[in-house]
Structures are given as C-alpha cells and as structure tokens.
Amino acid sequence: MLGLRAKVMRGGAYLALRLGLGMIIGAGGVLLLTRAIGPGAYGVYGAALGVYMYLFQLSQWGIKVYLIRREEEAQSRDYHQAFSLLLILGLASAGLAVLVLPLLEGWVRIEGFGAVAAVMFAVLPVQLLGMVPMARLERELDFRKVAAIELSGQISYFLVALPLAYRGMGSWAPVAGWWVQQSLIAALCFWATAYRPRLYWETERARAMVGYGLGYSSSIWVWQLRNLVIPLIVGRYGGAVAVGYVTLAIRMLEQLSFVKTAVWRLSIAALARLQHDRARLTKAVSEGMSLQTMALGPFLAAFGLAAPWLIPALFGPRWVPVLEIYPFIALGYLVNAVFNLHSSALYVLRRNWAVTAFHLVHIFLFAGAALVLVPRIGLTGYGWAEVAALPGYLLLHLLFVRYAGRPDYARAGVWLVAAGVPLFGWQLGPWAWVCAALPLLWPPTRRELWRVTVMVLGEARSIGARGFRLSSRRLSP
C-alpha cells in the first residue's frame, strides 16, 4: 500500500507529465490557430470563453470538491446525488445565460459575440456532468487516468479547430474544438470509472452538498469574476482585438504554468489528509509554495527574455502588443503561485468564508483598477491592474496565520525575486537578469533544487520502468 507522500508524488508526476505534454501541444496548437484566425476572431472567442468559464464556475456549487475532500468514503448514492444536482444546475444555468445574453451583447459591443457565446453555453451541462466521475478519479489520486483523459481532450480540440481555422471559419473554429473537447473528456471519464449514473434525490444528502458548496462556491464565484474583466472591461473599451491580445497572453501563461496547475489539482486531495495536524499542514504549504515558485519562475522569466523575438517570429507581427502586458500578467501568476496553497489549506479547514473575504478584496482591487486604467491608457492598463491587485495577498497571509499557522516564506521569496524582477528585464535593464542567479547563491535553495531534481528523476525512472514492464507483459505470448 502506497503512503500519502508516495501517492502524491506519483500522482503529481503523472499530472505534471500530462501538463508538460499539454504545454507542448497547446503551444504549437495555439500558435497555428492564432496565426490562422488573427487577433479579432480570437478575441471574439476569448470574450465568449471568459463569460462561459465564469458561468461554469458559477454552476458547480463546490460539488466536485465536496466529493473529493469528504472524510468518509464516498458512496454510490453520493455520486448519483451529485449527478442529479449538476444536471439541474447545468440546464438552469445554460438557459438563464441565453436569456440574459442580449444584455451582455449590448454592453460588450463585439460583433459576433452573442452567437458564439450561445453555442458555447449549450455544452455546459455536458462539462458539469463529467465532473462526477472525474471527482472519483481525483479522490483516489488516480492521476494517470486523469492525465490520459485530459490529454486526449486537448488533442481532439486542435484536431477539430485547426482544419476549420485554415478553412476560414474564424472564431467558430475554436468553438467547435471546445465542444468536441468537453464532450470527449466527459465520455472518457464515465468510461474510465465504469460509473453508470442515475437520477437520485435524498434531501439530507443534497443539503450536505449544497451546505458545503455555498461556502466554497461563493469564494470561487468572486475569484472567477476575473474572467469577466476581459470581455466586460477590455472588450468594451478596447474591442475584440485587445481581448485577443489579453487572451493569448493568459493562454501562454497557462501553458507555462503547468506545474502550478498540477500542484493545485493535487492539493485539495492531499491536504485533506493533513487537516487534523496544523503543524504538518503549515509545513506542507511552506514546501509547496517554494516548489511551485521554483518550478514556475524559470519558465516565465525565460519566455519573457525570448518573447520580443519569439512572438513576432512565431505568431506574426499582428501579435506584438502582447509584449506590453505579458510581464504584468506573469508577475500576477508568479505571486499567486506563492499563495494559492494558502487557499487550498483554508478550504480543507472549512474556512471558506475566509477565502471569500480575500477574493473580494482581490477582485475589488483588480476590477476597479482595470475599470479606471483601461479606458485611459489602453491595453497596458490591464497589466497595471494585475499589479494593483497584489497587495490583497497580505489579507490571505493573515487569514492563514490565524487559522492554520505561520508559513516560512524564505525560500519561496528568493525564487519569487529571482524570477519576478527579470520579467521586466527589457524595461529595467541588464542588471535585472542578475537576480536570476539568487537561488544558486543561497545554500538552502541550492539544496532544495538538487533534492527536487533527484526526486523527479527518480520518479520519472520509476514511471518509465513500470511502462516498460507493462509493455513487456502485453507483448509476451
């Protein structure tokens, strides 16, 4: 029987491998897609996707996280109840979204936005229902299957979107890819778990899910208001092209942040096992935020150094304005890597409203700054809004100290400075790149880098060996 640390490391290795491969596939796919359809069409899709993603988060009610983090073993009736709740929520949310769509069109004022958004809303129930068997896989830390399913979905997206893009379908090309991707992921999740859903209703069970979901979901609803800033503020004052620039910058950062995403996916299931030991929980958060910044920072800084050559060469000269906002958004991602495990731990400790308070402060600073700056200074205003929201993380730190413990920021802070300052190397001058050497000069971060390298290589060899043994068994007579 594998221990928790071994399960987490093995699950993390599979998930990081999937996200690493996804980064390569996604980078190549987005490159071809954006060159084919251009900033305007990509901006229409990006605006509709921003609204869709907020609607998706709004409709979950924390049900997936409830299934993953509950202390008792989940029963079939829990999954059936979750399926029934999500079916109702998905159909109701999609229907209401279509009804209010004319109001959104009038505010956003982007041609073609309404039709694209309506088609995307229709796949919402499918994506929500796929979360039920996905929760079973994540609860069991079976990220090998999760990785295979999600990678298959990503590949299907580009297999559909790219041919349509080169046939002149514009923003409809990624919409078709999105539909196929979400449908395939849901189907594969049901197949991999052999879960056969049925309609089920038990008032007490539903109340338990909704009771947890209200606290968890309210915080997510507030945080995901970030998705609406792009269509509702950037779209209104900058148009579809500006939305395309911001969407591409965020998409590139999501691809580069695959390790951060892997840690977040693992954190709810892993930290739930430590919720009764605050000292171990705090230590795990301290180690996790250091590992995240160590893994994320070099990718972001290196891309920032090469971006002035890479973006025009790969994406074309139409996409050069992305350079204006990349450093600011990347800094936001990097600081979030330091603090996102704080939120995970507070969720596990059922301090959902504490996380909501932080999210309210963050979105007030971010959306407020964007509303003031974007109409006045244009695209760069969105970047400065990211910076204006960073002081909100102080509240998250204070809440974590109150309810869990005092984390150690020393190593994470070194990695943050080492990667954060070079992001603005082209603006600050060559001296900014000297900061990149800080982790190699401080013994604790040197030791941490060596330890993690040895651990990752060992797990990679282990995965490779298991894959070889499995292939040998399949080939043997």
Side-chain angles (χ1 to χ4, degrees), residues 391-438:
Y393 286 103
L394 176 61
L395 174 61
L396 184 58
H397 161 74
L398 295 174
L399 291 168
F400 185 84
V401 170
R402 178 178 179 182
Y403 294 116
R406 185 174 296 277
D408 181 4
Y409 291 97
R411 288 176 295 175
V414 171
W415 290 107
L416 177 62
V417 173
V421 175
L423 287 173
F424 298 89
W426 293 104
Q427 292 87 352
L428 299 176
W431 69 269
W433 294 99
V434 176
C435 294
L438 285 177

mmCIF file of all heavy atoms in Angstrom, residues 391-438:
data_model
loop_
_atom_site.group_PDB
_atom_site.id
_atom_site.type_symbol
_atom_site.label_atom_id
_atom_site.label_comp_id
_atom_site.label_asym_id
_atom_site.label_seq_id
_atom_site.Cartn_x
_atom_site.Cartn_y
_atom_site.Cartn_z
ATOM 1 N N PRO A 391 -1.434 43.604 -3.482
ATOM 2 C CA PRO A 391 -1.495 43.798 -2.022
ATOM 3 C C PRO A 391 -2.595 43.001 -1.334
ATOM 4 O O PRO A 391 -2.533 42.780 -0.120
ATOM 5 C CB PRO A 391 -1.748 45.314 -1.887
ATOM 6 C CG PRO A 391 -1.163 45.911 -3.125
ATOM 7 C CD PRO A 391 -1.439 44.891 -4.195
ATOM 8 N N GLY A 392 -3.587 42.551 -2.068
ATOM 9 C CA GLY A 392 -4.649 41.752 -1.463
ATOM 10 C C GLY A 392 -4.154 40.445 -0.862
ATOM 11 O O GLY A 392 -4.801 39.876 0.039
ATOM 12 N N TYR A 393 -2.999 39.934 -1.328
ATOM 13 C CA TYR A 393 -2.473 38.675 -0.792
ATOM 14 C C TYR A 393 -2.037 38.809 0.670
ATOM 15 O O TYR A 393 -1.896 37.805 1.368
ATOM 16 C CB TYR A 393 -1.305 38.183 -1.637
ATOM 17 C CG TYR A 393 -1.748 37.606 -2.963
ATOM 18 C CD1 TYR A 393 -1.610 38.333 -4.138
ATOM 19 C CD2 TYR A 393 -2.310 36.338 -3.034
ATOM 20 C CE1 TYR A 393 -2.021 37.814 -5.357
ATOM 21 C CE2 TYR A 393 -2.722 35.806 -4.243
ATOM 22 C CZ TYR A 393 -2.578 36.556 -5.405
ATOM 23 O OH TYR A 393 -2.993 36.034 -6.606
ATOM 24 N N LEU A 394 -1.819 40.045 1.133
ATOM 25 C CA LEU A 394 -1.492 40.233 2.547
ATOM 26 C C LEU A 394 -2.636 39.742 3.433
ATOM 27 O O LEU A 394 -2.401 39.131 4.483
ATOM 28 C CB LEU A 394 -1.201 41.714 2.825
ATOM 29 C CG LEU A 394 -0.940 42.079 4.295
ATOM 30 C CD1 LEU A 394 0.281 41.343 4.834
ATOM 31 C CD2 LEU A 394 -0.766 43.592 4.440
ATOM 32 N N LEU A 395 -3.868 39.996 3.016
ATOM 33 C CA LEU A 395 -5.013 39.517 3.790
ATOM 34 C C LEU A 395 -5.033 37.993 3.833
ATOM 35 O O LEU A 395 -5.321 37.399 4.877
ATOM 36 C CB LEU A 395 -6.307 40.052 3.181
ATOM 37 C CG LEU A 395 -7.605 39.525 3.805
ATOM 38 C CD1 LEU A 395 -7.685 39.898 5.283
ATOM 39 C CD2 LEU A 395 -8.815 40.045 3.051
ATOM 40 N N LEU A 396 -4.729 37.335 2.708
ATOM 41 C CA LEU A 396 -4.706 35.873 2.685
ATOM 42 C C LEU A 396 -3.660 35.328 3.655
ATOM 43 O O LEU A 396 -3.890 34.337 4.348
ATOM 44 C CB LEU A 396 -4.436 35.378 1.263
ATOM 45 C CG LEU A 396 -4.465 33.863 1.049
ATOM 46 C CD1 LEU A 396 -5.813 33.279 1.449
ATOM 47 C CD2 LEU A 396 -4.152 33.523 -0.409
ATOM 48 N N HIS A 397 -2.506 35.979 3.705
ATOM 49 C CA HIS A 397 -1.465 35.572 4.650
ATOM 50 C C HIS A 397 -1.971 35.677 6.087
ATOM 51 O O HIS A 397 -1.798 34.740 6.892
ATOM 52 C CB HIS A 397 -0.222 36.446 4.476
ATOM 53 C CG HIS A 397 0.704 36.421 5.658
ATOM 54 N ND1 HIS A 397 1.506 35.342 5.954
ATOM 55 C CD2 HIS A 397 0.923 37.343 6.645
ATOM 56 C CE1 HIS A 397 2.194 35.587 7.050
ATOM 57 N NE2 HIS A 397 1.851 36.784 7.495
ATOM 58 N N LEU A 398 -2.607 36.785 6.424
ATOM 59 C CA LEU A 398 -3.084 36.982 7.791
ATOM 60 C C LEU A 398 -4.154 35.952 8.163
ATOM 61 O O LEU A 398 -4.180 35.451 9.290
ATOM 62 C CB LEU A 398 -3.643 38.402 7.939
ATOM 63 C CG LEU A 398 -2.621 39.539 7.777
ATOM 64 C CD1 LEU A 398 -3.320 40.897 7.804
ATOM 65 C CD2 LEU A 398 -1.547 39.465 8.861
ATOM 66 N N LEU A 399 -5.018 35.620 7.217
ATOM 67 C CA LEU A 399 -6.052 34.618 7.476
ATOM 68 C C LEU A 399 -5.450 33.234 7.679
ATOM 69 O O LEU A 399 -5.884 32.470 8.550
ATOM 70 C CB LEU A 399 -7.048 34.598 6.311
ATOM 71 C CG LEU A 399 -7.939 35.838 6.181
ATOM 72 C CD1 LEU A 399 -8.657 35.846 4.837
ATOM 73 C CD2 LEU A 399 -8.949 35.898 7.326
ATOM 74 N N PHE A 400 -4.421 32.906 6.888
ATOM 75 C CA PHE A 400 -3.772 31.605 7.041
ATOM 76 C C PHE A 400 -3.077 31.510 8.401
ATOM 77 O O PHE A 400 -3.154 30.479 9.078
ATOM 78 C CB PHE A 400 -2.765 31.381 5.919
ATOM 79 C CG PHE A 400 -2.139 30.015 5.936
ATOM 80 C CD1 PHE A 400 -2.773 28.936 5.343
ATOM 81 C CD2 PHE A 400 -0.918 29.797 6.556
ATOM 82 C CE1 PHE A 400 -2.214 27.664 5.373
ATOM 83 C CE2 PHE A 400 -0.347 28.541 6.598
ATOM 84 C CZ PHE A 400 -0.993 27.467 6.001
ATOM 85 N N VAL A 401 -2.400 32.576 8.809
ATOM 86 C CA VAL A 401 -1.737 32.584 10.112
ATOM 87 C C VAL A 401 -2.757 32.379 11.225
ATOM 88 O O VAL A 401 -2.509 31.649 12.199
ATOM 89 C CB VAL A 401 -0.970 33.905 10.308
ATOM 90 C CG1 VAL A 401 -0.482 34.038 11.752
ATOM 91 C CG2 VAL A 401 0.210 33.972 9.352
ATOM 92 N N ARG A 402 -3.913 32.988 11.085
ATOM 93 C CA ARG A 402 -4.929 32.894 12.135
ATOM 94 C C ARG A 402 -5.495 31.489 12.259
ATOM 95 O O ARG A 402 -5.694 30.978 13.374
ATOM 96 C CB ARG A 402 -6.054 33.881 11.835
ATOM 97 C CG ARG A 402 -7.201 33.827 12.851
ATOM 98 C CD ARG A 402 -8.258 34.852 12.523
ATOM 99 N NE ARG A 402 -9.356 34.791 13.482
ATOM 100 C CZ ARG A 402 -10.447 35.554 13.431
ATOM 101 N NH1 ARG A 402 -10.573 36.446 12.445
ATOM 102 N NH2 ARG A 402 -11.404 35.427 14.327
ATOM 103 N N TYR A 403 -5.760 30.838 11.148
ATOM 104 C CA TYR A 403 -6.479 29.567 11.193
ATOM 105 C C TYR A 403 -5.595 28.333 11.052
ATOM 106 O O TYR A 403 -6.038 27.226 11.358
ATOM 107 C CB TYR A 403 -7.535 29.534 10.086
ATOM 108 C CG TYR A 403 -8.635 30.546 10.290
ATOM 109 C CD1 TYR A 403 -8.817 31.587 9.391
ATOM 110 C CD2 TYR A 403 -9.478 30.464 11.399
ATOM 111 C CE1 TYR A 403 -9.834 32.521 9.585
ATOM 112 C CE2 TYR A 403 -10.484 31.389 11.597
ATOM 113 C CZ TYR A 403 -10.662 32.424 10.688
ATOM 114 O OH TYR A 403 -11.656 33.346 10.882
ATOM 115 N N ALA A 404 -4.361 28.492 10.602
ATOM 116 C CA ALA A 404 -3.505 27.317 10.375
ATOM 117 C C ALA A 404 -2.150 27.458 11.064
ATOM 118 O O ALA A 404 -1.772 26.634 11.891
ATOM 119 C CB ALA A 404 -3.318 27.081 8.874
ATOM 120 N N GLY A 405 -1.388 28.458 10.718
ATOM 121 C CA GLY A 405 -0.045 28.617 11.272
ATOM 122 C C GLY A 405 0.736 29.629 10.458
ATOM 123 O O GLY A 405 0.226 30.224 9.504
ATOM 124 N N ARG A 406 1.985 29.826 10.841
ATOM 125 C CA ARG A 406 2.825 30.815 10.160
ATOM 126 C C ARG A 406 3.770 30.098 9.191
ATOM 127 O O ARG A 406 4.706 29.426 9.612
ATOM 128 C CB ARG A 406 3.632 31.634 11.160
ATOM 129 C CG ARG A 406 4.434 32.770 10.545
ATOM 130 C CD ARG A 406 5.076 33.624 11.619
ATOM 131 N NE ARG A 406 4.071 34.278 12.437
ATOM 132 C CZ ARG A 406 3.453 35.424 12.109
ATOM 133 N NH1 ARG A 406 3.765 36.018 10.955
ATOM 134 N NH2 ARG A 406 2.569 35.960 12.914
ATOM 135 N N PRO A 407 3.551 30.248 7.885
ATOM 136 C CA PRO A 407 4.414 29.557 6.917
ATOM 137 C C PRO A 407 5.771 30.238 6.782
ATOM 138 O O PRO A 407 5.944 31.407 7.145
ATOM 139 C CB PRO A 407 3.609 29.653 5.614
ATOM 140 C CG PRO A 407 2.805 30.901 5.769
ATOM 141 C CD PRO A 407 2.485 31.010 7.231
ATOM 142 N N ASP A 408 6.701 29.501 6.235
ATOM 143 C CA ASP A 408 8.064 30.004 6.011
ATOM 144 C C ASP A 408 8.175 30.465 4.556
ATOM 145 O O ASP A 408 8.099 29.663 3.629
ATOM 146 C CB ASP A 408 9.072 28.889 6.303
ATOM 147 C CG ASP A 408 10.514 29.356 6.112
ATOM 148 O OD1 ASP A 408 10.723 30.552 5.821
ATOM 149 O OD2 ASP A 408 11.421 28.516 6.236
ATOM 150 N N TYR A 409 8.377 31.777 4.370
ATOM 151 C CA TYR A 409 8.424 32.347 3.026
ATOM 152 C C TYR A 409 9.846 32.507 2.476
ATOM 153 O O TYR A 409 10.013 33.012 1.361
ATOM 154 C CB TYR A 409 7.769 33.733 3.013
ATOM 155 C CG TYR A 409 6.284 33.724 3.231
ATOM 156 C CD1 TYR A 409 5.745 33.963 4.494
ATOM 157 C CD2 TYR A 409 5.404 33.496 2.178
ATOM 158 C CE1 TYR A 409 4.377 33.974 4.694
ATOM 159 C CE2 TYR A 409 4.036 33.493 2.372
ATOM 160 C CZ TYR A 409 3.525 33.740 3.638
ATOM 161 O OH TYR A 409 2.166 33.741 3.824
ATOM 162 N N ALA A 410 10.855 32.107 3.238
ATOM 163 C CA ALA A 410 12.234 32.446 2.862
ATOM 164 C C ALA A 410 12.599 31.904 1.481
ATOM 165 O O ALA A 410 13.002 32.660 0.588
ATOM 166 C CB ALA A 410 13.209 31.918 3.922
ATOM 167 N N ARG A 411 12.450 30.596 1.290
ATOM 168 C CA ARG A 411 12.869 30.009 0.007
ATOM 169 C C ARG A 411 11.955 30.446 -1.136
ATOM 170 O O ARG A 411 12.426 30.759 -2.232
ATOM 171 C CB ARG A 411 12.904 28.486 0.119
ATOM 172 C CG ARG A 411 14.056 27.958 0.962
ATOM 173 C CD ARG A 411 13.990 26.463 1.127
ATOM 174 N NE ARG A 411 12.798 26.063 1.881
ATOM 175 C CZ ARG A 411 12.443 24.807 2.096
ATOM 176 N NH1 ARG A 411 13.161 23.808 1.596
ATOM 177 N NH2 ARG A 411 11.374 24.510 2.800
ATOM 178 N N ALA A 412 10.653 30.495 -0.872
ATOM 179 C CA ALA A 412 9.730 30.956 -1.919
ATOM 180 C C ALA A 412 10.018 32.398 -2.296
ATOM 181 O O ALA A 412 9.939 32.772 -3.477
ATOM 182 C CB ALA A 412 8.290 30.811 -1.441
ATOM 183 N N GLY A 413 10.386 33.212 -1.303
ATOM 184 C CA GLY A 413 10.695 34.614 -1.576
ATOM 185 C C GLY A 413 11.912 34.783 -2.468
ATOM 186 O O GLY A 413 11.938 35.652 -3.347
ATOM 187 N N VAL A 414 12.929 33.941 -2.250
ATOM 188 C CA VAL A 414 14.128 34.004 -3.093
ATOM 189 C C VAL A 414 13.772 33.670 -4.539
ATOM 190 O O VAL A 414 14.182 34.370 -5.476
ATOM 191 C CB VAL A 414 15.221 33.046 -2.561
ATOM 192 C CG1 VAL A 414 16.372 32.940 -3.556
ATOM 193 C CG2 VAL A 414 15.732 33.539 -1.219
ATOM 194 N N TRP A 415 12.983 32.604 -4.729
ATOM 195 C CA TRP A 415 12.590 32.228 -6.086
ATOM 196 C C TRP A 415 11.701 33.298 -6.725
ATOM 197 O O TRP A 415 11.780 33.545 -7.930
ATOM 198 C CB TRP A 415 11.854 30.889 -6.074
ATOM 199 C CG TRP A 415 12.722 29.715 -5.758
ATOM 200 C CD1 TRP A 415 12.742 28.994 -4.607
ATOM 201 C CD2 TRP A 415 13.706 29.120 -6.614
ATOM 202 N NE1 TRP A 415 13.679 27.984 -4.681
ATOM 203 C CE2 TRP A 415 14.285 28.035 -5.911
ATOM 204 C CE3 TRP A 415 14.155 29.382 -7.905
ATOM 205 C CZ2 TRP A 415 15.273 27.227 -6.450
ATOM 206 C CZ3 TRP A 415 15.138 28.568 -8.446
ATOM 207 C CH2 TRP A 415 15.689 27.513 -7.728
ATOM 208 N N LEU A 416 10.860 33.938 -5.912
ATOM 209 C CA LEU A 416 9.978 34.988 -6.426
ATOM 210 C C LEU A 416 10.777 36.170 -6.957
ATOM 211 O O LEU A 416 10.528 36.666 -8.061
ATOM 212 C CB LEU A 416 9.022 35.446 -5.318
ATOM 213 C CG LEU A 416 8.073 36.586 -5.671
ATOM 214 C CD1 LEU A 416 7.131 36.185 -6.799
ATOM 215 C CD2 LEU A 416 7.274 37.013 -4.439
ATOM 216 N N VAL A 417 11.751 36.625 -6.192
ATOM 217 C CA VAL A 417 12.591 37.747 -6.638
ATOM 218 C C VAL A 417 13.431 37.338 -7.846
ATOM 219 O O VAL A 417 13.585 38.103 -8.810
ATOM 220 C CB VAL A 417 13.491 38.236 -5.491
ATOM 221 C CG1 VAL A 417 14.478 39.289 -5.987
ATOM 222 C CG2 VAL A 417 12.640 38.808 -4.363
ATOM 223 N N ALA A 418 13.961 36.109 -7.793
ATOM 224 C CA ALA A 418 14.834 35.636 -8.869
ATOM 225 C C ALA A 418 14.124 35.583 -10.213
ATOM 226 O O ALA A 418 14.740 35.767 -11.266
ATOM 227 C CB ALA A 418 15.392 34.258 -8.531
ATOM 228 N N ALA A 419 12.821 35.325 -10.202
ATOM 229 C CA ALA A 419 12.066 35.243 -11.456
ATOM 230 C C ALA A 419 11.254 36.497 -11.726
ATOM 231 O O ALA A 419 11.048 36.875 -12.883
ATOM 232 C CB ALA A 419 11.129 34.039 -11.427
ATOM 233 N N GLY A 420 10.784 37.162 -10.671
ATOM 234 C CA GLY A 420 9.904 38.313 -10.846
ATOM 235 C C GLY A 420 10.593 39.529 -11.425
ATOM 236 O O GLY A 420 10.060 40.192 -12.336
ATOM 237 N N VAL A 421 11.780 39.850 -10.924
ATOM 238 C CA VAL A 421 12.490 41.032 -11.429
ATOM 239 C C VAL A 421 12.898 40.868 -12.896
ATOM 240 O O VAL A 421 12.702 41.779 -13.702
ATOM 241 C CB VAL A 421 13.716 41.350 -10.534
ATOM 242 C CG1 VAL A 421 14.532 42.497 -11.117
ATOM 243 C CG2 VAL A 421 13.257 41.692 -9.120
ATOM 244 N N PRO A 422 13.444 39.706 -13.303
ATOM 245 C CA PRO A 422 13.803 39.543 -14.722
ATOM 246 C C PRO A 422 12.622 39.630 -15.693
ATOM 247 O O PRO A 422 12.837 39.847 -16.888
ATOM 248 C CB PRO A 422 14.445 38.150 -14.766
ATOM 249 C CG PRO A 422 14.981 37.941 -13.399
ATOM 250 C CD PRO A 422 13.982 38.587 -12.500
ATOM 251 N N LEU A 423 11.389 39.457 -15.209
ATOM 252 C CA LEU A 423 10.246 39.617 -16.104
ATOM 253 C C LEU A 423 10.233 40.999 -16.754
ATOM 254 O O LEU A 423 9.756 41.172 -17.869
ATOM 255 C CB LEU A 423 8.929 39.400 -15.340
ATOM 256 C CG LEU A 423 8.590 37.966 -14.935
ATOM 257 C CD1 LEU A 423 7.362 37.945 -14.041
ATOM 258 C CD2 LEU A 423 8.350 37.104 -16.174
ATOM 259 N N PHE A 424 10.773 41.981 -16.033
ATOM 260 C CA PHE A 424 10.805 43.357 -16.527
ATOM 261 C C PHE A 424 12.210 43.749 -16.965
ATOM 262 O O PHE A 424 12.574 44.931 -16.945
ATOM 263 C CB PHE A 424 10.300 44.312 -15.434
ATOM 264 C CG PHE A 424 8.870 44.057 -15.042
ATOM 265 C CD1 PHE A 424 8.565 43.151 -14.034
ATOM 266 C CD2 PHE A 424 7.834 44.700 -15.694
ATOM 267 C CE1 PHE A 424 7.238 42.907 -13.672
ATOM 268 C CE2 PHE A 424 6.506 44.467 -15.341
ATOM 269 C CZ PHE A 424 6.215 43.559 -14.327
ATOM 270 N N GLY A 425 12.997 42.729 -17.347
ATOM 271 C CA GLY A 425 14.384 42.983 -17.732
ATOM 272 C C GLY A 425 14.519 43.949 -18.890
ATOM 273 O O GLY A 425 15.456 44.766 -18.929
ATOM 274 N N TRP A 426 13.592 43.892 -19.857
ATOM 275 C CA TRP A 426 13.678 44.787 -21.013
ATOM 276 C C TRP A 426 13.359 46.225 -20.632
ATOM 277 O O TRP A 426 13.795 47.156 -21.296
ATOM 278 C CB TRP A 426 12.744 44.314 -22.128
ATOM 279 C CG TRP A 426 13.177 43.025 -22.714
ATOM 280 C CD1 TRP A 426 12.646 41.795 -22.512
ATOM 281 C CD2 TRP A 426 14.288 42.829 -23.598
ATOM 282 N NE1 TRP A 426 13.333 40.836 -23.214
ATOM 283 C CE2 TRP A 426 14.364 41.450 -23.897
ATOM 284 C CE3 TRP A 426 15.235 43.697 -24.174
ATOM 285 C CZ2 TRP A 426 15.316 40.903 -24.731
ATOM 286 C CZ3 TRP A 426 16.203 43.147 -25.010
ATOM 287 C CH2 TRP A 426 16.238 41.775 -25.288
ATOM 288 N N GLN A 427 12.596 46.413 -19.562
ATOM 289 C CA GLN A 427 12.291 47.761 -19.101
ATOM 290 C C GLN A 427 13.329 48.278 -18.100
ATOM 291 O O GLN A 427 13.678 49.463 -18.108
ATOM 292 C CB GLN A 427 10.898 47.801 -18.435
ATOM 293 C CG GLN A 427 9.752 47.570 -19.390
ATOM 294 C CD GLN A 427 9.420 46.086 -19.595
ATOM 295 O OE1 GLN A 427 10.153 45.211 -19.130
ATOM 296 N NE2 GLN A 427 8.331 45.814 -20.307
ATOM 297 N N LEU A 428 13.836 47.374 -17.219
ATOM 298 C CA LEU A 428 14.739 47.800 -16.153
ATOM 299 C C LEU A 428 16.206 47.797 -16.551
ATOM 300 O O LEU A 428 17.027 48.462 -15.928
ATOM 301 C CB LEU A 428 14.547 46.890 -14.932
ATOM 302 C CG LEU A 428 13.152 46.887 -14.305
ATOM 303 C CD1 LEU A 428 13.080 45.865 -13.184
ATOM 304 C CD2 LEU A 428 12.785 48.278 -13.783
ATOM 305 N N GLY A 429 16.560 47.021 -17.559
ATOM 306 C CA GLY A 429 17.949 46.964 -17.982
ATOM 307 C C GLY A 429 18.595 45.637 -17.627
ATOM 308 O O GLY A 429 18.020 44.813 -16.888
ATOM 309 N N PRO A 430 19.825 45.402 -18.107
ATOM 310 C CA PRO A 430 20.501 44.100 -17.915
ATOM 311 C C PRO A 430 20.700 43.692 -16.467
ATOM 312 O O PRO A 430 20.749 42.495 -16.173
ATOM 313 C CB PRO A 430 21.856 44.310 -18.617
ATOM 314 C CG PRO A 430 21.623 45.428 -19.574
ATOM 315 C CD PRO A 430 20.617 46.329 -18.935
ATOM 316 N N TRP A 431 20.793 44.687 -15.555
ATOM 317 C CA TRP A 431 21.050 44.319 -14.155
ATOM 318 C C TRP A 431 19.934 43.445 -13.586
ATOM 319 O O TRP A 431 20.149 42.666 -12.651
ATOM 320 C CB TRP A 431 21.194 45.573 -13.288
ATOM 321 C CG TRP A 431 19.905 46.335 -13.120
ATOM 322 C CD1 TRP A 431 19.430 47.343 -13.898
ATOM 323 C CD2 TRP A 431 18.919 46.108 -12.101
ATOM 324 N NE1 TRP A 431 18.207 47.768 -13.449
ATOM 325 C CE2 TRP A 431 17.873 47.030 -12.338
ATOM 326 C CE3 TRP A 431 18.805 45.231 -11.026
ATOM 327 C CZ2 TRP A 431 16.741 47.100 -11.544
ATOM 328 C CZ3 TRP A 431 17.680 45.295 -10.223
ATOM 329 C CH2 TRP A 431 16.666 46.220 -10.483
ATOM 330 N N ALA A 432 18.723 43.570 -14.152
ATOM 331 C CA ALA A 432 17.593 42.793 -13.634
ATOM 332 C C ALA A 432 17.839 41.297 -13.779
ATOM 333 O O ALA A 432 17.349 40.499 -12.968
ATOM 334 C CB ALA A 432 16.309 43.190 -14.358
ATOM 335 N N TRP A 433 18.609 40.901 -14.799
ATOM 336 C CA TRP A 433 18.840 39.481 -15.015
ATOM 337 C C TRP A 433 19.831 38.898 -14.017
ATOM 338 O O TRP A 433 19.916 37.678 -13.861
ATOM 339 C CB TRP A 433 19.335 39.254 -16.440
ATOM 340 C CG TRP A 433 18.274 39.601 -17.432
ATOM 341 C CD1 TRP A 433 18.140 40.750 -18.147
ATOM 342 C CD2 TRP A 433 17.147 38.804 -17.764
ATOM 343 N NE1 TRP A 433 17.011 40.719 -18.909
ATOM 344 C CE2 TRP A 433 16.374 39.536 -18.706
ATOM 345 C CE3 TRP A 433 16.698 37.534 -17.378
ATOM 346 C CZ2 TRP A 433 15.197 39.047 -19.252
ATOM 347 C CZ3 TRP A 433 15.523 37.043 -17.920
ATOM 348 C CH2 TRP A 433 14.790 37.803 -18.846
ATOM 349 N N VAL A 434 20.547 39.761 -13.299
ATOM 350 C CA VAL A 434 21.447 39.268 -12.257
ATOM 351 C C VAL A 434 20.659 38.571 -11.153
ATOM 352 O O VAL A 434 21.133 37.617 -10.526
ATOM 353 C CB VAL A 434 22.285 40.434 -11.684
ATOM 354 C CG1 VAL A 434 23.161 39.961 -10.533
ATOM 355 C CG2 VAL A 434 23.135 41.060 -12.785
ATOM 356 N N CYS A 435 19.419 39.043 -10.918
ATOM 357 C CA CYS A 435 18.588 38.454 -9.866
ATOM 358 C C CYS A 435 18.306 36.977 -10.119
ATOM 359 O O CYS A 435 18.029 36.223 -9.181
ATOM 360 C CB CYS A 435 17.266 39.211 -9.763
ATOM 361 S SG CYS A 435 17.436 40.919 -9.199
ATOM 362 N N ALA A 436 18.368 36.550 -11.369
ATOM 363 C CA ALA A 436 18.076 35.153 -11.692
ATOM 364 C C ALA A 436 19.063 34.197 -11.036
ATOM 365 O O ALA A 436 18.763 33.006 -10.871
ATOM 366 C CB ALA A 436 18.077 34.953 -13.206
ATOM 367 N N ALA A 437 20.228 34.687 -10.650
ATOM 368 C CA ALA A 437 21.250 33.829 -10.041
ATOM 369 C C ALA A 437 21.078 33.686 -8.534
ATOM 370 O O ALA A 437 21.806 32.911 -7.905
ATOM 371 C CB ALA A 437 22.643 34.381 -10.346
ATOM 372 N N LEU A 438 20.133 34.408 -7.933
ATOM 373 C CA LEU A 438 19.990 34.384 -6.475
ATOM 374 C C LEU A 438 19.823 32.982 -5.896
ATOM 375 O O LEU A 438 20.472 32.650 -4.903
ATOM 376 C CB LEU A 438 18.797 35.264 -6.057
ATOM 377 C CG LEU A 438 19.014 36.785 -6.105
ATOM 378 C CD1 LEU A 438 17.714 37.505 -5.745
ATOM 379 C CD2 LEU A 438 20.125 37.186 -5.152
#
